[in-house]
Each structure stands twice: as C-alpha cells, then as structure tokens.
Amino acid sequence: MKPIWIVDDDQSIRFVLEKALLREGLPTRSFTHPRELLAALDVATEADGPQIMVSDIRMPGGSGLDLLEKVH
C-alpha cells in the first residue's frame, strides 16, 4: 500500500496523525514544510509516491493551499 504523506509544521499534530494512521495499518511519511514534500514528490516513483496527501493550511513560509495548487 502506498503511504499517506503528511505535511504540518506542528510536530504534535504530525505525531497524532501518524499514530492514528499506523494503528490502522496505514503507512505514513511526514514532512515539516511544503517544500520538503515537493522535493520528495519530484523524486518519487509511481510505486513509492503518496496515495493521499494531508496538509496543514497555515505554515510558516508556505500554505497548504499553495501546495495544493503546485501539486495539482
């Protein structure tokens, strides 16, 4: 199963999301900033890219809405 990618500047939010998803047997990969996710997306293959991306809306130096536009 492909991982769920999480991007949030708040470590506690990332931790809670990861724990909840892992408890359900869903793999995750986390990022602290949208540019990290975009860099990983650039080198991701079809096999190891995300199944779903979950993003915070407001983050220092980036926005979840800007990220959505770039990924789209």
Side-chain angles (χ1 to χ4, degrees):
M1 176 178 287
K2 295 169 74 170
I4 297 170
W5 286 13
I6 301 165
V7 60
D8 197 308
D9 60 311
D10 187 329
Q11 189 275 333
S12 61
I13 299 294
R14 288 192 317 271
F15 178 78
V16 168
L17 286 171
E18 289 170 353
K19 291 296 259 185
L21 293 167
L22 290 173
R23 188 173 29 243
E24 297 300 320
L26 301 169
T28 64
R29 182 170 176 191
S30 293
F31 304 88
T32 59
H33 195 279
R35 74 175 157 255
E36 293 173 1
L37 184 143
L38 290 171
L41 196 56
D42 282 343
V43 297
T45 66
E46 180 66 30
D48 67 357
Q51 176 176 326
I52 296 171
M53 287 188 279
V54 178
S55 176
D56 190 2
I57 296 295
R58 293 187 202 142
M59 295 173 276
S63 155
L65 296 175
D66 292 340
L67 176 63
L68 176 64
E69 186 176 306
K70 290 175 183 174
V71 169
H72 181 37

